[in-house]
Amino acid sequence: METNELLSKFSIEGEITKVVPFGNGHINKTYKVSTSTHEHYLFQCVNGYVFHDIDDLMRNILIVSNHLKYSKHETLEIVKTKNNKLFFKDGDLYYRVYKYLEKTISYEKLDKPELISKVAQAFGQLHNELSSLDSCLIAETIKDFHNTPKRINNLLDAIKEDPLRRVYECKDLISFVFEHREVADTIMDALENAEIPERIVHNDPKINNVLFDEDTNEVRCVIDLDTIMPGSCLFDVGDALRSIFTGDNESSRDTSLLKVDFKKYDLYISAYLKEMKDSLTKKEIELIPASIATIALELGVRFLEDYIRGDKYFAIHFPDENLVRAKGQFALAQNVLENTPKLKEITERYLK
Ligand code: ADP
Ligand code: GN1
Ligand code: MG
């Protein structure tokens, strides 16, 4: 079906005047839609390789966005189809529309200290808000999303299958994973042994999933609610810091660019802990430095598995991009491990 025909299925006001690819997300195909009214819309083809149950996915987003709206937070607003459905299915493709959040901007990297504090505060607030949501209402949209040991098992399966004969290129990276195998267990072991609590979290707190106000640079809202599921706040703290340290170098061949920034670390945890001071446990705080290494290793493993399987999950822009991304995340994990004593020292200050 043509784009205009697809868009005609949704309750969009006015005539469509322009549809252009938008944003730098790796998962869904995203377009900004202009209309003859002054409103814009965000049109997405949802990635069916990544998400297997679109009913569950869209219901989660509706529940979470209503919950956030109820407590006066700006959030995603689903534009339903003319048949009052949350998405439109065309063959095996799934489409959805959101209101475009006007006068917002997302960043690929965060350099200004105040922006880092604002993002940390936004995720702290999100975690506080989500704590009053009943986790029974939330479906698991991607099974074992941050189960790092399982991610390694998936990589092992891909290595065995080696459908494109790419494994030989990946030998050094595969060795890195097995040399650092114990890093994978940090968060899952703590969760399974009930040393840390289960919480509903975002699970994908990448910098460009936060929208800032174009004029004031205040955080307007956290978006990309596809992976909101029960898990650990360490998934989010670890991944947000991983994303901040990666910045816009995720696909760079110069792996020395992916490294810890102590100032950014301090700014992030200071603002996050301030928001979450009434609920975080000592163990959660102690595990923050380790969680960054775990999530960087995990993402490297995910990129590597996708490279071996033929780039089916993450969007790529050049042939070996997933391999380059995996190298970058392993370099970051290594750098985090080397700097863990100093990160722990900074963290200790907040435990007193
Ligand atoms: P992906 O899952 O592929 O990452 P996202 O839902 O994060 O897709 O959307 C991709 C980008 O589109 C975001 O990083 C953001 O820049 C922009 N975006 C998404 N939703 C909206 C919205 N409702 N209003 C304005 N911009 C948006
Ligand atoms: C994907 O969807 P996006 O681009 O915001 C991925 C994250 C990764 C990130 C790495 C659902 O995030 O887990 O950390 O790429 N999202 C999903 O850039 O897999
Ligand atoms: Mg995104």
Side-chain angles (χ1 to χ4, degrees), residues 205-340:
K206 186 169 159 176
I207 308 163
N208 68 13
N209 289 329
V210 176
L211 296 184
F212 293 84
D213 190 282
E214 230 172 49
D215 299 327
T216 64
N217 251 344
E218 292 300 324
V219 170
R220 289 266 296 274
C221 70
V222 173
I223 56 160
D224 204 344
L225 307 177
D226 294 337
T227 49
I228 293 223
M229 292 180 276
S232 162
C233 66
L234 291 169
F235 295 159
D236 280 3
V237 179
D239 195 54
L241 285 159
R242 178 207 64 71
S243 165
I244 288 168
F245 295 156
T246 303
D248 59 356
N249 296 308
E250 188 177 77
S251 298
S252 172
R253 289 184 195 274
D254 182 358
T255 56
S256 70
L257 298 171
L258 288 95
K259 54 179 192 288
V260 168
D261 182 319
F262 297 110
K263 224 169 147 205
K264 290 180 179 174
Y265 179 80
D266 203 350
L267 283 165
Y268 193 94
I269 66 164
S270 155
Y272 178 75
L273 297 183
K274 207 165 161 191
E275 276 307 315
M276 288 286 283
K277 62 181 179 313
D278 297 332
S279 78
L280 277 191
T281 66
K282 186 164 175 268
K283 186 73 182 175
E284 285 175 308
I285 301 173
E286 277 171 1
L287 285 178
I288 295 175
S291 72
I292 312 169
T294 304
I295 299 289
L297 176 79
E298 176 188 283
L299 184 58
V301 164
R302 294 173 58 201
F303 284 142
L304 189 57
E305 184 201 344
D306 199 32
Y307 180 69
I308 292 171
R309 289 198 183 283
D311 311 304
K312 294 182 182 304
Y313 187 108
F314 297 100
I316 54 163
H317 312 89
F318 56 90
D320 63 344
E321 187 165 9
N322 276 320
L323 185 63
V324 172
R325 287 168 172 158
K327 282 183 190 157
Q329 291 306 311
F330 291 156
L332 178 59
Q334 176 73 46
N335 189 268
V336 173
L337 292 171
E338 282 161 13
N339 286 296
T340 294

Side-chain angles (χ1 to χ4, degrees), residues 22-32 40-45 47 51 75-77 96-108 204 206-211 221 223-226 315:
F22 192 74
N24 292 309
H26 291 347
I27 304 299
N28 302 305
K29 284 204 186 101
T30 303
Y31 304 86
K32 183 177 176 179
H40 297 88
Y41 295 86
L42 212 281
F43 175 53
Q44 284 186 322
C45 178
N47 188 327
F51 299 105
T75 186
L76 288 176
E77 195 169 327
R96 68 181 170 203
V97 172
Y98 291 122
K99 288 240 171 101
Y100 181 86
L101 296 158
E102 304 287 348
K103 285 187 152 294
T104 60
I105 180 162
S106 66
Y107 297 111
E108 298 304 314
D204 189 1
K206 186 169 159 176
I207 308 163
N208 68 13
N209 289 329
V210 176
L211 296 184
C221 70
I223 56 160
D224 204 344
L225 307 177
D226 294 337

Side-chain angles (χ1 to χ4, degrees), residues 6 14 24 47 58 65 67 134 138 143 197 221 231 234 245 334:
L6 290 166
N24 292 309
N47 188 327
M58 293 309 292
S65 57
H67 183 77
D134 188 340
I138 301 297
K143 205 169 162 5
C221 70
L234 291 169
F245 295 156
Q334 176 73 46

Side-chain angles (χ1 to χ4, degrees), residues 84-113:
N84 210 28
K85 297 269 180 342
L86 298 174
F87 61 91
F88 178 75
K89 182 174 186 307
D90 178 33
D92 55 1
L93 298 176
Y94 298 86
Y95 297 90
R96 68 181 170 203
V97 172
Y98 291 122
K99 288 240 171 101
Y100 181 86
L101 296 158
E102 304 287 348
K103 285 187 152 294
T104 60
I105 180 162
S106 66
Y107 297 111
E108 298 304 314
K109 60 174 179 170
L110 288 184
D111 287 331
K112 294 202 184 95

Side-chain angles (χ1 to χ4, degrees), residues 48-66:
Y49 181 83
V50 171
F51 299 105
H52 303 303
D53 190 330
I54 314 295
D55 275 305
D56 271 354
L57 173 75
M58 293 309 292
R59 214 175 303 124
N60 270 12
I61 294 174
L62 187 68
I63 291 168
V64 171
S65 57
N66 275 337

